[in-house]
Amino acid sequence: MSMAVGGEPAVATVGFRRRGLFWLAGLVAVVALVALPGCLSPKGVHYAIRLLIAALYAMAFNVLWSQARLLSFGQAAPFGIGAFSVLHLMRLFEDAQLSFPTPLLPVAGILAGIVVGVLVGLFATIRTGTYFSMITLAMTELLGVLARRWNSAFGGETGLSSMRMPWAGLSFGNFYEVYYVVLFWCLLGLGILWFLKLTPFGNIAAAVGNNERRLEFLGFNTRILKTQIVTVSFAVAGLAGGLLAFTTENASYELFSGYTSAEPIIQSFFGGVGTFLGPALGAAILSLFGLVLSDVTRIWLLYQGILFILVIILLPIGVGGAIAALSSGRVPWAKMGPWLAAVGCGLLLLFAGTTLISELAYRFFQASNLKETLDILGLSIAVTSISAWIFGIVAASIGLIIVLKGERRIREFWASARQMP
Amino acid sequence: MTKTVLQTAQLKKAFGPIEIIRGVDLEVCEGERHALIGPNGAGKSTMFELLSASIAPTSGDILLFGQSILGLSPANVNRRGLGRSFQITSVFPGMTVTENLRLGVFARRGIRFDAMHISSRLSDVNEEVEKLMTTVRLQDRRNTHASDLPYSEQRALELALTLTTDPQLLLLDEPTAGMSRQEAEHTVELIQRVTDGRTLLIVEHDMEVVFTLCNRISVLVYGQVIATGEPQAIRKNADVQTAYLGIDTQ
């Protein structure tokens, strides 16, 4: 046992305990994920599949950002190509009536992601920073335009469809079976990404983001390194796209849209790019938020945007970062608690007021007659009700004032916990 | 016969119409501890950037171990045996001391895309890292992030990082810049100890450091080497006294 440094045994014990807790938490999470479909309706299982895919997709983005500080605006490229690759493979076996291990179909997404990663990586890494982002964006746009026009490969406006074929006694006709295939690939993807962090390649990748110039002066070809990092990220994004196609049995050129590229970025920062599972957590929360809210209101994207802005302002380390800070025990809870409670109340007021105003405004400007009402929490509110508008504005204003007052103090507390980026 | 490690031939560098390096002929021999001194704006830092292939010269040539390095990347030049440190500390701030040094050892051992092994279990690498940490006396800081180290220890880490690739020629850019007298003395002792047997080219403003560390000095003024020689000879050189030390010998 090498404990040459004074005080190391105590540190080692704490480290061992933390590692033990970490593995226990991981095991519990895996068991919970395996057992999850038993507690869910088919619709719930479908939601769970979407959350898993979103989590994997966000993790793919985070390989680029958290390790190498490469901000890719082109994640849609491997995601879309991955999806179409899997779909083409499905169609191939469907048309030829050949048997293929259905759970292995997503491998096509990985391979397609690797090819796109090498191509985009070689070009995009010629430049760094904003220019890298712009090149990835441009290449994805190019691919999007190509997909719109190349009907035989991308299916035009309707896209491409296929069916999962039965294999080894399993029909793959319901979401329960699909869930386990997706779960397997997601866990495998996360496991590989976690392992990569611990390897020399992972260390060197992290050094690219830390100090690329110094790395070059140690004899590393940073352009090749960055291409490798892009390839790893795109391979995982391709897998995520492949899993989506595998689930929905459909893909269209919409997959190459700017929103598909922006989604993992938003979700990763929401969840916290400084922690390994933060992006997956962010993706799960925001995807669930979107899936649930899109059934309730048509302006759910507005709420998602507001939520994102609030988290970035109040919790720049993201939800995952906050959880990590809490578990580190370095957060001064006694001092921070009242401020958090106050800001929480402020947020509730702000959210209630904003929701009321947004929903009233949406109906007011969309309505064919001004007698339309907003039915919420058992109340029926007329869109022309002055008191409702005033209530919304006052509540949002008071909430905003409280949040702004408390925001600075909370940031100071986070900073004192040495967790701020 | 002493082998020439580094040589420049009529090296020139201009940024637009302004010529910063104006035909420098510099020769650094094996085992030499060579200082490049000069007043602010003399072009010392530009020389370092040129010698380490950070920037390309406008004309002239740079020979490292007898071979031109023009057109090579800094990574290639490093692999040919030239290591450099920076004036502004350049380590990997978000990584621990161990992780910093491990990177250099990976580089020297040619470990690039190794995604099959866990770094902390590579015993050969770890042994080398331990040795380096002990050499620069950072073994008690192994798990400290580089950004949390005091300035002098960051400089020590930078020096150790430069040594990880086992360069035959070391370029040190103002290694004692911003240090107190005591810290500077400690760093000089450290440099003497860890660079033993290596060729050294150093840029330094502190004359005491230069005269303690080096056995040969070149004086750069307005992009030209006006004198090269042993420290005592440089001290007495009339041109140097006038142009650099500000002493009017007339």
Side-chain angles (χ1 to χ4, degrees):
Chain A
M1 204 160 126
S2 59
M3 287 176 193
V5 185
E8 282 280 293
V11 174
T13 311
V14 173
F16 182 75
R17 220 175 277 159
R18 280 178 69 91
R19 267 202 302 276
L21 278 173
F22 170 80
W23 284 111
L24 185 68
L27 190 68
V28 169
V30 171
V31 170
L33 284 170
V34 170
L36 189 66
C39 328
L40 296 174
S41 64
K43 190 180 179 185
V45 175
H46 182 227
Y47 279 4
I49 292 170
R50 299 301 285 259
L51 300 195
L52 285 172
I53 294 170
L56 187 68
Y57 187 35
M59 294 292 288
F61 164 75
N62 206 40
V63 170
L64 286 176
W65 178 253
S66 76
Q67 300 267 309
R69 286 289 182 267
L70 293 170
L71 183 59
S72 166
F73 287 153
Q75 292 302 94
F79 190 77
I81 292 290
F84 277 102
S85 301
V86 168
L87 216 56
H88 277 292
L89 194 64
M90 286 165 78
R91 285 164 67 98
L92 185 76
F93 286 104
E94 189 188 342
D95 293 347
Q97 290 291 310
L98 291 171
S99 174
F100 183 83
T102 306
L104 293 183
L105 283 169
V107 172
I110 301 175
L111 296 176
I114 290 172
V115 173
V116 179
V118 171
L119 289 174
V120 172
L122 279 175
F123 285 104
T125 56
I126 293 172
R127 294 279 174 260
T128 53
T130 315
Y131 301 103
F132 170 85
S133 308
M134 290 302 121
I135 294 170
T136 54
L137 178 68
M139 291 183 92
T140 309
E141 285 298 313
L142 205 69
L143 210 54
V145 171
L146 190 73
R148 277 183 175 79
R149 296 182 186 276
W150 193 358
N151 289 353
S152 58
F154 297 97
E157 280 193 14
T158 52
L160 292 179
S161 300
S162 184
M163 280 176 71
R164 293 180 296 270
M165 302 305 282
W167 181 78
L170 294 167
S171 69
F172 294 101
N174 62 63
F175 281 133
Y176 289 93
E177 285 166 355
V178 172
Y179 174 86
Y180 287 109
V181 174
V182 171
L183 179 64
F184 166 78
W185 282 106
C186 284
L187 289 178
L188 186 69
L190 290 191
I192 289 172
L193 290 181
W194 173 255
F195 182 78
L196 274 182
K197 262 173 75 82
L198 307 175
T199 63
F201 172 69
N203 299 156
I204 298 164
V208 174
N210 251 262
N211 191 345
E212 186 181 337
R213 190 165 184 242
R214 192 69 178 95
L215 204 59
E216 211 173 359
F217 280 96
L218 284 178
F220 289 101
N221 184 329
T222 53
R223 200 181 149 205
I224 290 178
L225 266 173
K226 287 190 284 187
T227 304
Q228 289 169 345
I229 298 164
V230 170
T231 305
V232 169
S233 166
F234 277 27
V236 179
L239 172 62
L243 290 173
L244 183 71
F246 178 81
T247 306
T248 58
E249 300 174 312
N250 175 270
S252 78
Y253 61 66
E254 284 299 319
L255 288 175
F256 296 105
S257 72
Y259 183 72
T260 312
S261 286
E263 228 176 354
I265 302 175
I266 292 169
Q267 292 168 344
S268 295
F269 280 92
F270 182 88
V273 287
T275 50
F276 180 72
L277 284 175
L281 187 66
I285 295 172
L286 284 185
S287 298
L288 188 66
F289 187 84
L291 286 168
V292 172
L293 220 62
S294 59
D295 285 346
V296 180
T297 172
R298 295 177 73 174
I299 52 170
W300 63 276
L301 263 175
L302 174 79
Y303 299 122
Q304 184 171 300
I306 292 171
L307 186 65
F308 177 67
I309 291 167
L310 286 174
V311 166
I312 292 302
I313 291 172
L314 292 169
L315 215 60
I317 53 178
V319 179
I323 293 170
L326 297 184
S327 61
S328 74
R330 285 186 289 190
V331 178
W333 276 113
K335 291 179 187 169
M336 198 173 172
W339 285 98
L340 270 180
V343 170
C345 293
L347 280 174
L348 275 178
L349 272 175
L350 180 61
F351 187 71
T354 312
T355 307
L356 187 59
I357 297 164
S358 306
E359 295 294 338
L360 285 173
Y362 177 71
R363 280 164 179 74
F364 184 83
F365 292 111
Q366 291 284 316
S368 49
N369 70 74
L370 293 177
K371 286 185 179 169
E372 191 161 328
T373 58
L374 165 66
D375 298 315
I376 190 167
L377 299 171
L379 297 170
S380 187
I381 305 165
V383 295
T384 50
S385 163
I386 301 292
S387 56
W389 280 85
I390 290 174
F391 178 80
I393 291 167
V394 170
S397 304
I398 294 171
L400 186 65
I401 291 166
I402 296 171
V403 168
L404 290 177
K405 286 271 180 199
E407 177 263 336
R408 187 175 293 178
R409 293 289 299 165
I410 288 174
R411 281 175 72 91
E412 285 169 10
F413 287 126
W414 285 126
S416 69
R418 293 181 58 76
Q419 292 290 330
M420 292 289 277
Chain B
M1 196 180 147
T2 320
K3 196 172 136 190
T4 301
V5 172
L6 181 74
Q7 193 174 15
T8 66
Q10 275 303 297
L11 195 66
K12 289 183 182 175
K13 178 66 188 176
F15 293 103
I18 303 162
E19 203 168 41
I20 306 294
I21 302 296
R22 302 187 296 161
V24 169
D25 292 310
L26 185 75
E27 191 179 12
V28 180
C29 294
E30 192 173 30
E32 205 170 76
R33 294 163 169 279
H34 201 124
L36 189 63
I37 64 169
N40 284 334
K44 303 184 296 292
S45 293
T46 306
M47 270 301 285
F48 255 42
E49 296 297 309
L50 289 165
L51 296 177
S52 58
S54 270
I55 53 173
T58 311
S59 66
D61 204 353
I62 305 167
L63 303 175
L64 182 66
F65 301 108
Q67 290 192 311
S68 176
I69 59 165
L70 294 190
L72 295 182
S73 69
N76 274 324
V77 172
N78 180 279
R79 281 182 225 152
R80 289 185 181 208
L82 184 147
R84 76 164 284 191
S85 75
F86 294 80
Q87 188 180 347
I88 296 164
T89 310
S90 184
V91 291
F92 300 96
M95 304 173 104
T96 65
V97 169
T98 307
E99 289 166 343
N100 265 269
L101 297 179
R102 218 179 255 154
L103 290 168
V105 179
F106 287 158
R108 197 181 62 69
R109 287 171 169 258
I111 298 172
R112 302 279 189 274
F113 192 90
D114 180 353
M116 300 306 286
H117 300 95
I118 293 179
S119 302
S120 60
R121 292 185 189 165
L122 293 170
S123 52
D124 290 357
V125 172
N126 291 335
E127 267 174 39
E128 261 190 70
V129 168
E130 278 300 319
K131 270 187 203 162
L132 276 160
M133 273 195 292
T134 312
T135 307
V136 296
R137 295 171 188 149
L138 285 174
Q139 65 271 36
D140 290 345
R141 302 281 199 177
R142 70 187 71 226
N143 294 323
T144 307
H145 277 83
S147 57
D148 293 338
L149 291 174
Y151 180 66
S152 62
E153 287 183 350
Q154 283 189 5
R155 298 301 292 183
L157 177 61
E158 163 125 38
L159 186 60
L161 202 54
T162 311
L163 289 171
T164 49
T165 55
D166 197 20
Q168 289 154 278
L169 171 63
L170 265 173
L171 266 58
L172 303 183
D173 198 353
E174 299 200 27
T176 65
M179 287 186 185
S180 67
R181 177 52 48 202
Q182 200 183 358
E183 285 174 332
E185 280 170 10
H186 173 77
T187 303
V188 167
E189 182 269 321
L190 181 67
I191 293 170
Q192 275 176 326
R193 193 157 44 82
V194 301
T195 61
D196 192 34
R198 294 176 205 268
T199 310
L200 189 70
L201 178 62
I202 182 170
V203 162
E204 183 57 66
H205 273 294
D206 189 329
M207 286 304 115
E208 209 174 313
V209 171
V210 169
F211 288 119
T212 311
L213 264 179
C214 302
N215 52 23
R216 199 167 172 80
I217 297 172
S218 290
V219 184
L220 192 71
V221 177
Y222 293 121
Q224 284 182 313
V225 174
I226 61 162
T228 297
E230 290 179 2
Q232 291 314 315
I234 292 295
R235 262 191 221 270
K236 289 174 190 161
N237 186 300
D239 287 341
V240 175
Q241 288 179 356
T242 308
Y244 179 58
L245 300 173
I247 302 166
D248 190 355
T249 54
Q250 300 305 308

